[in-house]
Amino acid sequence: MTDPLGFAMDEATVSWIAESDESKQPSVCRILVSSDSGMRAVLYDSGEIEAGTHSLGTVLPIRLTPFTAYYWTVAVRGDAGDEAVSGVNRFETGRREVPFAADWITTPWEDRERHPLFAKTFELPEEKIASARIYVTGTDLLELYLNGGRVGNEFFVPGCVDTGLWMQVYTFDVTDRLKAGKNRIGAMMGNGWAKGRFGTFPDLNRPYTDRYGLRMELRIVCADGTVRTVCTDDTFECADSPILFDNIYNGEHYDANRERSGWTDPDGCGEGWEKAVLWKPEDFGKPEDRLSLPVVIKETRKPQAILHTPAGETVLDMGQNMTGWVRVHVKESAGTRIRLAYGEILQEGNFYQDNLRSAKAEYICICDGKERDVQPHFTYFGFRYVKLEGFSKEPDLNDFTGCSVYSDLEDTGSIVTSDERVNRLFTNTKWSQKDNFLDVPTDCPQRDERMGWTGDAQVFCRTASYHMDTYAFYTKYLHDLAKETLAQQGMVPNVVPGFFPVRTSEPGFEYGGSSVWGDAATIIPWTMYLHYGDAEILKRQYPGMQAWVEWNIREDGKAGGSHLRTTGVHFGDWLALDGPVEGGVYGGTENAYIATVYYCNSVRILAKTAGVLEKQKDEARYSALAEAIKEAFVKEYFSPNGRCVLHTQTAYLLALHFDMVPETMRSRIAKDLAARIREDHIQLKTGFVGTPFLCPVLTDAGEGRLAYDLFFRDEYPGWLYEVKMGATTVWERWNSVLPDGKISGTGMNSLNHYSYGAIAEWMYTRMAGIRSLDDAPGFTRFEFGPSPDSRLQFTRASYNSAMGMIGSGWERESGGTMKVTVKVPFGAIADVVLPDAQAGQVKTNCNGKAFAAEGVQAGDRTRFAGLAAGEYSFTYMPEPDENPESV
């Protein structure tokens, strides 16, 4: 995060990226921390220290205090002697452990569905204000207002968390919004994840509370150092808000005629206010400084067209499946009721919502006669199409603006190829990430679910971290996950935040512990470490990671201690096409097989994490356990010559990807995998578990052409089938829409579900060739080894890594020559592996000049190791393909 305000941090970790036209590597760096922006009151001076990997994350050795702003700079000197100094950066702590002076307040009403406004008028003397911050939390969603205007641009404050375990405190800077004399502060509240309906299991997902509760403290620091506070207490007032109804799934009903004009204007707040009452909520978690990134309107777009359907409907086509809402500029008379209904697809040319199940997904506004913009406050929709009702005139496209709403993430990755279908697929995977990264990594943004399924999150986390800078986003999600895991003695919930698992009263009830899903506890932190190189996330998550592994060990013990995972309820290879029931959700690969593979993988990750954190005893113990699990797995599922007892694509993929078999068996298993795919007529049969590894494993096993055959398939089942059918996001099912355009079912059928979009990781790492190395986290050293295919003329990719911008490309030039390019950022090292290349026939160039480099031949590939920062190109005539035809 850049210049964060009020975010939780036990310690402050800073990082930076340096660039140089002269140097290849940083030599020394110097970090200064000060209590003033002029960097005069120095709190810490590192002096010149060896640069090393400090840029990836350096913990500042200073004691953080509450309500305090810190300023820091970093200077870097390169190995050629050039120097650079950053601008002044800033971060400010929140409340930390300081208790609230504010009380909880609520409404005096018996009707708990009345949506409230809370407000108070207060006076300030004539004195200069140095800073003013609002610290706020609530039992559900809120918007803050001060002196007639909304505070900030964030939505869905105070975020999606299990409020039984913790509550986020948000901080807002309102220094420039206060004035001498009268001021008025207020909040509007609505139903969200805690008070409103949430979850797809109505018998378990009961609302956590039935009350609107607000706790807020305005802390004003005057120029002379004195502190004034305005706190929620029984001097606050409450009144009905214009919101008549809302929840996450069904939408919002808003009556503009009920607005209180100037309700936060100290001179015109109106009458009819009642006294708010004090409240002591029970069973709520401890308030903690926020971790959630801001949820904001990241993009806007105009509708592509206004459609008039065969059913006589007027429908906006946004041209893109997206998450958020449509902002409407209304010019209607008072009392006019307009309705916007949201859907993902048309059926027979008509508006359609049946795949949203019980979610009504509508916004209703009763107009007040004023020309104005309207949009919802506390709900969002997943949609491409919007049905318009109640408008008195033919709608004008210019009056509608699509607002794409998601967490404030930085875009870091791009891929462009010569095939527009491939480009569309790549774009679809990124859109599904945007649309489902709204505070929590959800499964879908449109139907009555929108939950943080742990399996979906871990399956996609590698792709997600190429697409965008996900470190802060996953830090919050992993904080939720660890809290819930530790509260359940190591059993990871299948959904995080889960709300129900830690408070259910059903005896023996367990809603968690599924393999693959629960393994998010280890896989996501390790992925963050590999991508960003900061071991602090491993340090924070280690207790939760260890708790999950130990829970698995206990489950193993319940079954006799065989080192196999045979107990529990598992989702298996979810939505695979080789299951016992055609069209069913369960795949054909035995659950115990999958669970044992992931059991071993989590134990291995924990062992490696222990090594990074210098926990030698844990490292030795878990390393030995992983070997024992692998040995038991091979004995149970493979013959001595490598024949697998399970003849499914996913079984072979997991054995190879997770290194679950001896080296002597790998060749046999790779051949059996390829044979299985050919038996399946070059069709994938994999589900959520096997699909992410399908193309990577084939490519690494020397079956790159077969991987591309599967990738380029534009009939069901295949990624490009969705593109051919007009998809603008990734579908939940391989056949969510049938070839005739009809939706395949309504029970569980999202058109915006990122799991199968994990193919984009293969596009980054194999097609484009940008691969991280486990022993060089943070891309301090990476491998560039593209795998071209004759069906593509070129591929160009970029990834803004923790070390800086990595660029890659390959292109078939006239005459058949291959030109490969790679950009290595300052401070990084690249190992370049050229396909179908002979070492002595490669022309090399660096920064526009020829340079001598010795390539090492390895089979049909040439390897150039240890290339320092620079822009390189390699030109050569590739060796002819011995098997030019697709299988």
Side-chain angles (χ1 to χ4, degrees), residues 651-700:
Y652 294 125
L653 290 167
L654 297 186
L656 292 170
H657 178 79
F658 289 105
D659 190 26
M660 292 298 295
V661 293
E663 186 64 33
T664 54
M665 291 184 182
R666 292 186 66 87
S667 177
R668 161 72 187 269
I669 296 169
K671 290 178 181 177
D672 289 348
L673 168 63
R676 171 79 260 190
I677 293 171
R678 293 185 181 100
E679 286 177 30
D680 293 327
H681 309 291
I682 321 299
Q683 295 181 26
L684 56 81
K685 297 291 183 180
T686 51
F688 279 24
V689 174
T691 298
F693 311 123
L694 182 58
C695 289
V697 167
L698 286 171
T699 303
D700 294 348

Side-chain angles (χ1 to χ4, degrees), residues 513 551-552 555-556 563-568 570 591-592 595-596 599:
W551 186 85
N552 275 271
E555 289 296 301
D556 179 3
H563 294 135
L564 302 173
R565 271 289 276 117
T566 58
T567 62
H570 304 275
N591 282 348
T596 301
Y599 176 25

Side-chain angles (χ1 to χ4, degrees), residues 417 419-426 711-712 720 763 767:
T417 76
D419 192 320
E420 286 304 318
R421 299 173 303 163
V422 174
N423 298 341
R424 181 70 247 186
L425 171 63
F426 177 83
F711 177 74
F712 273 108
L720 295 188
M763 296 172 72
M767 180 188 288

Side-chain angles (χ1 to χ4, degrees), residues 500-806:
F500 51 84
V502 296
R503 69 172 192 270
T504 182
S505 59
E506 285 81 1
F509 174 76
E510 292 184 351
Y511 195 74
S514 173
S515 66
V516 184
W517 276 247
D519 295 287
T522 55
I523 292 173
I524 298 178
W526 187 250
T527 300
M528 295 301 100
Y529 172 63
L530 293 183
H531 265 267
Y532 303 108
D534 180 12
E536 287 300 301
I537 198 163
L538 299 180
K539 181 180 174 182
R540 289 193 298 269
Q541 295 302 128
Y542 193 82
M545 298 168 74
Q546 187 174 40
W548 166 244
V549 165
E550 291 294 336
W551 186 85
N552 275 271
I553 292 171
R554 293 195 297 274
E555 289 296 301
D556 179 3
K558 289 179 183 177
S562 63
H563 294 135
L564 302 173
R565 271 289 276 117
T566 58
T567 62
V569 177
H570 304 275
F571 295 106
D573 195 15
W574 188 250
L575 294 181
L577 302 178
D578 57 1
V581 178
E582 185 175 357
V585 296
Y586 298 107
T589 306
E590 182 183 304
N591 282 348
Y593 182 102
I594 296 171
T596 301
V597 170
Y598 275 82
Y599 176 25
C600 185
N601 184 55
S602 278
V603 173
R604 279 179 181 156
I605 289 174
L606 188 62
K608 290 188 285 189
T609 299
V612 173
L613 300 179
E614 299 182 348
K615 298 176 181 287
Q616 288 83 5
K617 288 185 178 179
D618 283 0
E619 181 183 13
R621 178 191 171 212
Y622 293 122
S623 295
L625 176 58
E627 286 304 308
I629 297 170
K630 178 177 177 178
E631 183 179 338
F633 174 82
V634 172
K635 184 177 179 181
E636 179 74 11
Y637 291 107
F638 289 87
S639 70
N641 65 355
R643 181 180 179 85
C644 184
V645 299
L646 301 180
H647 192 43
T648 67
Q649 294 178 17
T650 293
Y652 294 125
L653 290 167
L654 297 186
L656 292 170
H657 178 79
F658 289 105
D659 190 26
M660 292 298 295
V661 293
E663 186 64 33
T664 54
M665 291 184 182
R666 292 186 66 87
S667 177
R668 161 72 187 269
I669 296 169
K671 290 178 181 177
D672 289 348
L673 168 63
R676 171 79 260 190
I677 293 171
R678 293 185 181 100
E679 286 177 30
D680 293 327
H681 309 291
I682 321 299
Q683 295 181 26
L684 56 81
K685 297 291 183 180
T686 51
F688 279 24
V689 174
T691 298
F693 311 123
L694 182 58
C695 289
V697 167
L698 286 171
T699 303
D700 294 348
E703 292 283 358
R705 180 166 289 276
L706 184 55
Y708 272 103
D709 287 340
L710 291 167
F711 177 74
F712 273 108
R713 180 181 173 84
D714 66 359
E715 303 294 335
Y716 163 79
W719 291 278
L720 295 188
Y721 167 70
E722 300 178 14
V723 173
K724 187 171 75 170
M725 293 301 297
T728 61
T729 45
V730 178
W731 296 345
E732 180 175 17
R733 294 175 178 266
W734 292 114
N735 66 338
S736 285
V737 179
L738 302 174
D740 62 2
K742 292 183 179 178
I743 201 156
S744 62
T746 59
M748 191 183 72
N749 200 354
S750 161
L751 303 185
N752 202 345
H753 220 90
Y754 54 60
S755 295
Y756 288 143
I759 185 62
E761 183 199 3
W762 173 80
M763 296 172 72
Y764 281 111
T765 59
R766 273 73 169 185
M767 180 188 288
I770 304 171
R771 298 177 68 168
S772 64
L773 301 172
D774 281 13
D775 58 355
F779 287 84
T780 52
R781 187 169 191 142
F782 63 95
E783 182 176 279
F784 174 67
S787 297
D789 184 82
S790 59
R791 283 158 282 194
L792 290 174
Q793 186 68 24
F794 67 83
T795 293
R796 303 186 189 101
S798 66
Y799 171 55
N800 195 9
S801 74
M803 293 299 294
M805 185 63 74
I806 297 172

Side-chain angles (χ1 to χ4, degrees), residues 44-83:
Y44 170 68
D45 183 348
S46 70
E48 289 195 347
I49 56 176
E50 185 177 343
T53 58
H54 281 288
S55 67
L56 297 176
T58 297
V59 177
L60 300 179
I62 59 175
R63 180 177 173 271
L64 301 178
T65 57
F67 312 123
T68 304
Y70 297 87
Y71 302 85
W72 66 281
T73 63
V74 60
V76 179
R77 184 188 306 145
D79 55 13
D82 53 332
E83 297 185 24

